[in-house]
Amino acid sequence: AQSVAQPEDQVNVAEGNPLTVKCTYSVSGNPYLFWYVQYPNRGLQFLLKYITGDNLVKGSYGFEAEFNKSQTSFHLKKPSALVSDSALYFCAVRINSGYSTLTFGKGTMLLVSP
Amino acid sequence: GAVVSQHPSWVICKSGTSVKIECRSLDFQATTMFWYRQFPKQSLMLMATSNEGSKATYEQGVEKDKFLINHASLTLSTLTVTSAHPEDSSFYICSARVPGGFNEQFFGPGTRLTVL
């Protein structure tokens, strides 16, 4: 079985400060890892993914994430937060074989204050 | 990039009626599509996996007769909520798997269903 944990329901950060949204995962095998963002009443927008290769992955809108195999983590980061980054963020995992399905974390609400 | 659309984006219906939601892959053929349900401020819950030309695979606890899924073509899957009740009110999101490569999923914009 595979699972994703996002330990924080909400993250608050001031505009211009760095932000981190945490994600840890559990899979039996090598993982594919994803971050998605969701704005109110919208579907999921893809931010970035880790498949293989460089542990530091750069994605859309200045976001990046670092794959840490020993800590089974894939934290989302951004050097300087914007008010417009305020949204719900989901981490997701699947194993890298066949037609496995995505498993999502419960989501973390990011609130960036002006 | 791959685009997935959903129609309608929102729907309000009376209790006891049926509602159909369409999910289309616009620029690729998707042999597999997924239907998710999301309650306010919660994560996505996979309801079923829809395979073109065959019966959908439902997750445990999801009523097959309540949520009818039809994947009649390589670009269209439909979810019909039959005899809808207020507790069926939710945000429904579909995704489509791009075949080949690492089988990435792309998500539709979601459909807000409100049952009065």
Side-chain angles (χ1 to χ4, degrees):
Chain A
Q2 55 195 39
S3 64
V4 177
Q6 292 181 244
E8 304 150 318
D9 290 334
Q10 184 168 307
V11 170
N12 297 299
V13 65
E15 187 173 34
N17 285 356
L19 69 87
T20 299
V21 183
K22 296 180 181 178
C23 171
T24 59
Y25 66 91
S26 174
V27 295
S28 53
N30 292 319
Y32 289 159
L33 293 155
F34 304 82
W35 275 102
Y36 295 90
V37 60
Q38 185 181 35
Y39 294 96
N41 293 310
R42 297 288 191 89
L44 271 66
Q45 294 181 31
F46 170 79
L47 278 180
L48 51 80
K49 65 179 182 281
Y50 171 82
I51 304 301
T52 187
D54 195 349
N55 289 343
L56 182 62
V57 178
K58 293 187 183 295
S60 307
Y61 312 118
F63 284 94
E64 60 187 29
E66 185 165 11
F67 171 62
N68 187 318
K69 188 172 183 178
S70 62
Q71 297 185 5
T72 62
S73 66
F74 191 58
H75 302 329
L76 181 70
K77 299 183 179 184
K78 187 174 181 181
S80 179
L82 299 173
V83 173
S84 58
D85 292 330
S86 299
L88 188 56
Y89 290 79
F90 290 101
C91 181
V93 67
R94 54 173 275 223
I95 59 173
N96 66 347
S97 67
Y99 295 95
S100 59
T101 58
L102 277 173
T103 297
F104 286 87
K106 64 180 176 64
T108 298
M109 178 63 71
L110 173 66
L111 293 177
V112 182
S113 55
Chain B
V3 180
V4 177
S5 70
Q6 278 184 245
H7 178 80
S9 56
W10 59 270
V11 57
I12 302 173
C13 69
K14 293 182 179 180
S15 185
T17 61
S18 294
V19 175
K20 180 183 287 188
I21 303 170
E22 294 184 347
C23 177
R24 293 182 184 271
S25 56
L26 297 186
D27 50 3
F28 66 99
Q29 293 183 330
T31 54
T32 304
M33 292 184 174
F34 304 89
W35 287 96
Y36 295 85
R37 183 174 181 177
Q38 185 183 27
F39 291 103
K41 298 184 179 180
Q42 293 189 27
S43 188
L44 280 71
M45 180 191 78
L46 180 63
M47 299 175 65
T49 301
S50 168
N51 295 295
E52 188 268 337
S54 65
K55 290 184 179 180
T57 303
Y58 290 82
E59 296 298 304
Q60 191 172 8
V62 177
E63 298 177 61
K64 301 178 183 181
D65 296 332
K66 175 71 153 175
F67 299 100
L68 299 179
I69 292 173
N70 186 310
H71 195 156
S73 78
L74 288 172
T75 59
L76 174 65
S77 175
T78 60
L79 168 67
T80 302
V81 183
T82 62
S83 187
H85 288 94
E87 57 265 30
D88 298 324
S89 299
S90 191
F91 195 55
Y92 293 88
I93 301 175
C94 76
S95 73
R97 175 181 274 158
V98 177
F102 69 97
N103 299 302
E104 189 170 356
Q105 282 179 238
F106 290 87
F107 289 82
T111 296
R112 171 72 60 193
L113 170 63
T114 302
V115 185
L116 302 176

